[in-house]
Amino acid sequence: MIFLLSALNIYYVLDYALPSMPEPTAEDSDAVKKERKKREHDELLCRSHILNTLTDRLYDLYCNLKSPREIWTALQTAYQNEKRGIDKFLALQYFEFKIFDTRPIMDQIHELQILVSKLSDLEVKIPDALQIGAILSKLPSSWNDYRKKILHSMDKMTVEQFRTHIQIESETRARDAISQPSSSAVNFVSQMIQEVETNI
């Protein structure tokens, strides 16, 4: 929004340092009249652009405010309050995040990395070692062997290296699951062979 208003050269009307225009008088010069007219036009245009970008619900809420600066301030306050409320739960979401076998592992790790990015925006820096440890601890129990292998590894990895490593492991597991026959099929074939051998 700021980009659009700046491109239209009307963002300046939202500046709190902008002095208000004096009341019109009969003695106003043409330059003052022209400046007042431009300011009124720019304020109307700015107000219209701001209101135009809002949803119907928000439009109904803010359309009664006459000044674009009032609308802008109200929106900023509402957004910051909402953001503060969401920010409180990001750390909780990060710690409670779980990874399941029922969904692709890499998609879930990506979701976890998005949470890390959001926390980083709040200046909460999570070191690579802690991120890797968190991912390992959140892996489902079917990944216990992999978890042990990584925990006993002496190699120091970045998060990107670890993501590559776990992606390879995930793809290998998927390929192995397709290529290995199920145990019930193996048991059935074994039983058939035993029956044939006993009949001979």
Side-chain angles (χ1 to χ4, degrees):
M1 187 69 193
I2 293 173
F3 176 77
L4 173 65
L5 297 177
S6 297
L8 295 171
N9 293 322
I10 56 176
Y11 182 69
Y12 77 95
V13 299
L14 300 176
D15 187 1
Y16 290 103
L18 183 69
S20 58
M21 290 296 293
E23 291 296 320
T25 63
E27 300 163 358
D28 286 346
S29 67
D30 287 341
V32 171
K33 288 178 184 176
K34 186 177 178 183
E35 185 181 341
R36 181 177 292 109
K37 187 173 181 177
K38 179 183 180 340
R39 173 85 66 87
E40 288 171 357
H41 177 265
D42 288 349
E43 285 183 357
L44 177 65
L45 195 59
C46 184
R47 180 180 183 276
S48 299
H49 276 290
I50 293 171
L51 290 174
N52 189 45
T53 61
L54 301 179
T55 62
D56 290 343
R57 185 181 65 82
L58 290 176
Y59 177 87
D60 292 340
L61 188 63
Y62 294 109
C63 69
N64 295 328
L65 300 176
K66 299 300 178 199
S67 161
R69 193 179 302 155
E70 286 178 299
I71 297 170
W72 190 257
T73 303
L75 287 169
Q76 280 184 322
T77 303
Y79 174 75
Q80 287 169 348
N81 288 340
E82 182 180 323
K83 189 173 184 300
R84 268 189 232 114
I86 291 170
D87 293 349
K88 291 177 184 176
F89 296 102
L90 282 177
L92 183 64
Q93 282 181 307
Y94 180 77
F95 288 118
E96 290 183 347
F97 192 90
K98 290 184 172 68
I99 298 176
F100 299 99
D101 276 329
T102 55
R103 292 181 47 219
I105 295 291
M106 292 311 296
D107 290 351
Q108 295 176 79
I109 290 174
H110 181 71
E111 289 173 21
L112 190 62
Q113 290 306 114
I114 290 171
L115 284 174
V116 169
S117 177
K118 288 179 180 179
L119 286 168
S120 181
D121 290 344
L122 299 173
E123 298 180 10
V124 176
K125 305 293 181 205
I126 303 174
D128 282 1
L130 186 59
Q131 288 184 54
I132 292 169
I135 293 170
L136 286 172
S137 71
K138 295 170 187 310
L139 287 173
S141 59
S142 61
W143 285 69
N144 281 346
D145 291 341
Y146 177 77
R147 182 183 299 123
K148 288 176 187 174
K149 181 174 83 174
I150 295 296
L151 288 173
H152 292 292
S153 170
M154 300 303 279
D155 299 335
K156 201 169 192 174
M157 284 191 260
T158 65
V159 173
E160 289 305 315
Q161 290 169 331
F162 177 69
R163 285 183 62 194
T164 302
H165 199 275
I166 202 166
Q167 183 172 4
I168 292 168
E169 178 70 18
S170 176
E171 290 171 2
T172 302
R173 285 171 178 249
R175 195 171 37 255
D176 289 348
I178 292 170
S179 66
Q180 289 180 348
S182 67
S183 60
S184 60
V186 171
N187 290 339
F188 178 73
V189 171
S190 298
Q191 288 174 353
M192 293 295 289
I193 292 172
Q194 286 176 352
E195 288 177 15
V196 169
E197 288 175 350
T198 54
N199 290 336
I200 296 180

